[in-house]
């Protein structure tokens, strides 16, 4: 169980305490700290003497930070867990049951809100045709409407479970991304190799409505947009990408005005500039992914969504004009792919 920490404060201790109550015989906990400036790690050293703690000398981001933990893990299975989560005692056992049913794959639990267990924080993450990722049913009342295990677009990095063999086969998290869309990227690469993602509702993990790091600031908007473009350019074949290009250009305009409205237009420019600046690296990654793929784009996009859900924290007025544009364009573009 790998818990990546960056200034999580008391949340880290609460997370570890819940993990230690896990109803499973053999598991190790690895805390990887990304050069936190608070005292969260010092508290853990005093309180949890049997927990392995790895202290990075600088903030390596979500991707490489978790890769450090994965390289040091001894178990057959890997569970990536955010430090602001609290787990149910059966969370791990149920994920392993799911693995035994569906086999090699990427798995996530049902997420419920930490302070209100009747509100969902996610029943599986979905990929939109244009590379937007979102959590299904976030903020909805849990009425048992998603009680069956099923295939999903991708497993959430808030709690992502798989075997160490698979995650090594996928060359780990892509450190270029740093953070955000890292789980989407990993599971999209997995899907191209016919390794599917699954939602296991009997596994319960509690998570606050919004994560504790970055919040909705300009850096997060930058990473989300840059990494979305990165995934489109590396995961789709060139043939598919160029078929989508007219729609993607319209999406660019839509995202431009959305970022303008949110006051983070500079983040949009920086994201595009980073893509142009790193195009050589992108092309190398593209060739590597395409050479290993087993599933065609035509087959894969069957599980991709036309609709997207924009979190209320991003759009409190619930003005989903960008979402409507994306949905309509996606439905139209799909006809030509």
């Amino acid at each position: 169980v790998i818990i990546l920490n960056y200034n999580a404060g008391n949340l880290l201790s609460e997370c570890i305490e819940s993990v230690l109550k896990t109803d499973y015989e053999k598991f190790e906990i690895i805390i990887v700290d990304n050069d936190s400036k608070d005292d969260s790690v010092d508290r853990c050293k005093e309180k949890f003497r049997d927990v392995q703690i790895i202290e990075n000398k600088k903030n390596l981001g979500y991707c490489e930070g978790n890769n450090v933990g994965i390289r040091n893990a001894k178990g057959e299975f890997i569970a990536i867990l955010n430090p602001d989560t609290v787990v149910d005692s059966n969370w791990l056992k149920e994920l392993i049951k799911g693995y035994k049913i569906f086999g090699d794959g990427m798995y996530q639990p049902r997420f419920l809100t930490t302070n209100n267990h009747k509100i969902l924080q996610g029943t599986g993450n979905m990929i939109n045709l244009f590379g937007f990722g979102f959590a299904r049913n976030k903020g909805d009342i849990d009425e048992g409407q998603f009680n069956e295990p099923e295939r999903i677009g991708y497993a959430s990095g808030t709690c992502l479970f798989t075997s160490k063999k698979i995650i090594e086969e996928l060359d780990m998290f892509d450190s270029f991304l740093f953070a955000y869309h890292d789980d989407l990227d990993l599971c999209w690469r997995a899907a191209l190799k016919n390794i599917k993602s699954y939602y296991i509702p009997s596994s319960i993990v509690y998570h606050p409505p919004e994560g504790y790091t970055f919040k909705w600031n300009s850096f997060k908007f930058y990473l989300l947009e840059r990494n979305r473009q990165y995934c489109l350019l590396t995961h789709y074949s060139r043939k598919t990408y160029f078929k989508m290009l007219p729609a993607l250009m319209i999406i660019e305009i839509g995202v431009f005005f959305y970022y303008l409205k949110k006051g983070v237009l500079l983040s949009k420019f920086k994201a595009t500039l980073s893509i142009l600046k790193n195009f050589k690296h992108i092309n190398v990654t593209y060739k590597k992914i395409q050479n290993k793929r087993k599933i065609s784009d035509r087959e894969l996009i069957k599980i991709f969504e036309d609709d997207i859900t924009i979190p209320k924290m991003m759009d409190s007025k619930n003005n989903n004009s960008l979402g409507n544009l994306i949905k309509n364009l996606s439905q139209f573009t799909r006809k030509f792919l």
Side-chain angles (χ1 to χ4, degrees):
V1 180
I2 297 167
I3 305 172
L4 181 67
N5 179 59
Y6 181 68
N7 298 325
N10 291 328
L11 295 171
L12 178 62
S13 295
E14 292 170 8
C15 177
I16 296 170
E17 285 173 357
S18 72
V19 174
L20 288 172
K21 296 174 184 175
T22 296
D23 184 14
Y24 196 77
E25 288 184 3
K26 295 176 67 177
F27 67 93
E28 62 175 348
I29 301 174
I30 300 175
I31 308 300
V32 181
D33 184 69
N34 262 342
D35 194 28
S36 294
K37 305 306 180 186
D38 66 2
D39 62 350
S40 53
V41 170
D42 292 333
R43 290 186 209 172
C44 289
K45 287 179 180 178
E46 294 177 7
K47 197 171 184 179
F48 310 108
R49 298 189 181 276
D50 294 331
V51 172
Q52 182 181 354
I53 298 175
I54 301 170
E55 296 181 76
N56 295 328
K57 294 182 179 180
K58 64 177 183 179
N59 184 0
L60 300 178
Y62 176 94
C63 296
E64 192 55 30
N66 275 308
N67 285 345
V68 169
I70 293 165
R71 293 187 192 104
N72 283 274
K74 300 173 184 176
E76 179 184 352
F77 296 102
I78 299 288
I80 304 292
L81 196 62
N82 273 14
D84 56 352
T85 57
V86 173
V87 300
D88 178 80
S89 60
N90 289 320
W91 73 289
L92 192 55
K93 187 179 289 185
E94 293 302 318
L95 287 169
I96 290 173
K97 281 182 183 178
Y99 195 99
K100 288 179 179 178
I101 293 170
F102 296 107
D104 287 347
M106 319 296 280
Y107 293 81
Q108 78 154 80
R110 182 202 313 245
F111 293 114
L112 297 174
T113 306
T114 308
N115 58 0
N116 187 341
H117 298 175
K118 294 182 179 180
I119 298 178
L120 293 162
Q121 283 302 309
T123 60
N125 280 14
M126 301 298 173
I127 305 175
N128 168 267
L129 189 68
F130 299 126
F132 298 96
F134 62 95
R136 183 176 63 175
N137 301 118
K138 188 172 185 178
D140 292 349
I141 300 298
D142 186 4
E143 298 176 334
Q145 64 271 52
F146 291 97
N147 277 354
E148 296 298 324
E150 61 178 301
R151 186 180 181 185
I152 53 176
Y154 67 105
S156 170
T158 301
C159 177
L160 190 153
F161 175 88
T162 188
S163 70
K164 189 175 183 182
K165 176 190 72 174
I166 287 176
I167 209 160
E168 288 177 339
E169 182 184 331
L170 294 170
D171 297 322
M172 324 277 268
F173 288 100
D174 187 338
S175 59
F176 175 84
L177 299 177
F178 189 79
Y180 298 110
H181 283 343
D182 33 67
D183 44 8
L184 181 150
D185 164 75
L186 181 71
C187 295
W188 193 340
R189 285 189 280 122
L192 286 170
K193 300 184 76 170
N194 204 26
I195 300 170
K196 300 170 184 176
S197 294
Y198 297 96
Y199 160 66
I200 306 298
S202 55
S203 174
I204 304 293
V205 171
Y206 304 101
H207 190 246
E210 295 298 326
Y212 75 102
T213 57
F214 294 144
K215 305 301 180 182
W216 286 106
N217 60 23
S218 59
F219 186 50
K220 182 170 182 176
F221 276 105
Y222 158 74
L223 288 173
L224 284 168
E225 179 59 10
R226 184 199 66 168
N227 295 349
R228 180 184 72 87
Q229 292 187 42
Y230 179 85
C231 289
L232 291 174
L233 286 165
T234 55
H235 297 10
Y236 278 133
S237 70
R238 290 287 182 257
K239 182 179 179 181
T240 300
Y241 187 86
F242 285 118
K243 282 183 178 180
M244 294 174 63
L245 195 55
L248 289 172
M249 292 173 69
I250 297 173
I251 293 296
E252 280 291 299
I253 297 170
V255 172
F256 175 91
F257 282 107
Y258 183 82
Y259 273 47
L260 177 64
K261 184 180 74 172
K262 301 302 292 184
V264 290
L265 186 57
L266 186 59
S267 297
K268 172 60 179 166
F269 285 127
K270 286 182 176 179
T272 302
L273 184 62
S274 179
I275 291 296
L276 295 173
K277 183 180 177 181
N278 290 284
F279 206 79
K280 184 176 180 181
H281 169 78
I282 289 169
N283 201 43
V284 170
T285 303
Y286 168 80
K287 290 177 180 177
K288 186 177 179 181
I289 291 173
Q290 299 302 315
N291 286 338
K292 294 181 178 181
R293 69 180 298 163
K294 297 177 182 178
I295 301 296
S296 68
D297 290 333
R298 183 187 293 270
E299 182 67 24
L300 189 57
I301 63 173
K302 290 178 181 178
I303 68 160
F304 285 6
E305 300 290 316
D306 294 318
D307 207 352
I308 68 167
T309 299
I310 297 178
K312 292 179 181 178
M313 290 289 289
M314 287 180 68
D315 203 340
S316 58
K317 295 180 181 179
N318 201 25
N319 180 13
N320 201 18
S321 55
L322 178 61
N324 292 331
L325 172 67
I326 291 168
K327 180 179 180 179
N328 292 332
L329 267 178
S330 181
Q331 290 173 338
F332 179 76
T333 304
R334 192 180 288 270
K335 300 174 184 177
F336 301 97
L337 301 179

